Amino acid sequence: MERQFSTVCEENKLTATQTTINIVNLIVGAGILTVPYAFRAGGWVVLPIVVVLVLIFTFTGVLIVWCIQKIESDLTVLEDTGQRDFAFLARKAFGQVGQRIIGACFAVELGMYSAYYLILIATNMPRCSNPWV
């Protein structure tokens, strides 16, 4: 019985790429749902603000990729752990303390996302369960 269960679990594993796509889809999907409400509440005045924010976020992403590529070119074989994330950048820039601070920030952020989705589900569930409300 144990052998059959482990075989089923191994067959249902996601790759890192599939997991990343699922997480991005989840986060971006919820963000896309709020954009029409933001334009309704703020009007077309919000559009330039959104465009500026998108440009800033794009530039930040380019800088992060540039930093990772720069650090990768300076790595020795002994230092290379295969990890390429913000904790990796923090460890290279600020040492072990920076890595722990960034790790704690990500844990809090993921907890906030979980709370956000629970609130989203709780506020919309009555509308889904009773269509005449």
Side-chain angles (χ1 to χ4, degrees), residues 1 3 5 7-8 13 15 23 39 47 61 65-66 68 71 74 87 104 112 116 118 120 125 130:
M1 183 70 163
R3 186 177 177 117
F5 180 73
T7 305
V8 170
K13 286 186 178 180
T15 65
I23 291 171
F39 280 112
L47 184 63
V65 169
W66 179 79
I68 289 176
I71 290 173
D74 296 339
M112 295 296 178
Y116 167 73
L118 287 175
L120 188 68
M125 194 53 107
N130 190 357

Side-chain angles (χ1 to χ4, degrees), residues 9-127:
C9 288
E10 289 174 7
E11 291 173 0
N12 292 330
K13 286 186 178 180
L14 294 175
T15 65
T17 305
Q18 291 170 328
T19 304
T20 303
I21 290 171
N22 286 334
I23 291 171
V24 168
N25 186 21
L26 183 72
I27 293 170
V28 170
I32 293 293
L33 292 175
T34 60
V35 170
Y37 177 74
F39 280 112
R40 180 177 159 218
W44 288 101
V45 177
V46 177
L47 184 63
I49 296 170
V50 169
V51 169
V52 168
L53 288 175
V54 165
L55 291 174
I56 290 171
F57 296 152
T58 302
F59 181 67
T60 303
V62 169
L63 288 178
I64 290 169
V65 169
W66 179 79
C67 287
I68 289 176
Q69 289 174 346
K70 176 72 173 138
I71 290 173
E72 280 181 340
S73 66
D74 296 339
L75 285 179
T76 63
V77 174
L78 296 176
E79 292 177 322
D80 194 6
T81 60
Q83 178 186 12
R84 301 293 183 266
D85 57 2
F86 288 117
F88 169 74
L89 285 175
R91 185 176 70 246
K92 287 299 181 183
F94 304 111
Q96 191 70 20
V97 174
Q99 182 180 10
R100 290 178 193 243
I101 290 172
I102 293 297
C105 288
F106 272 115
V108 169
E109 181 183 13
L110 290 174
M112 295 296 178
Y113 279 130
S114 299
Y116 167 73
Y117 286 115
L118 287 175
I119 292 169
L120 188 68
I121 290 169
T123 56
N124 290 318
M125 194 53 107
R127 294 180 187 156

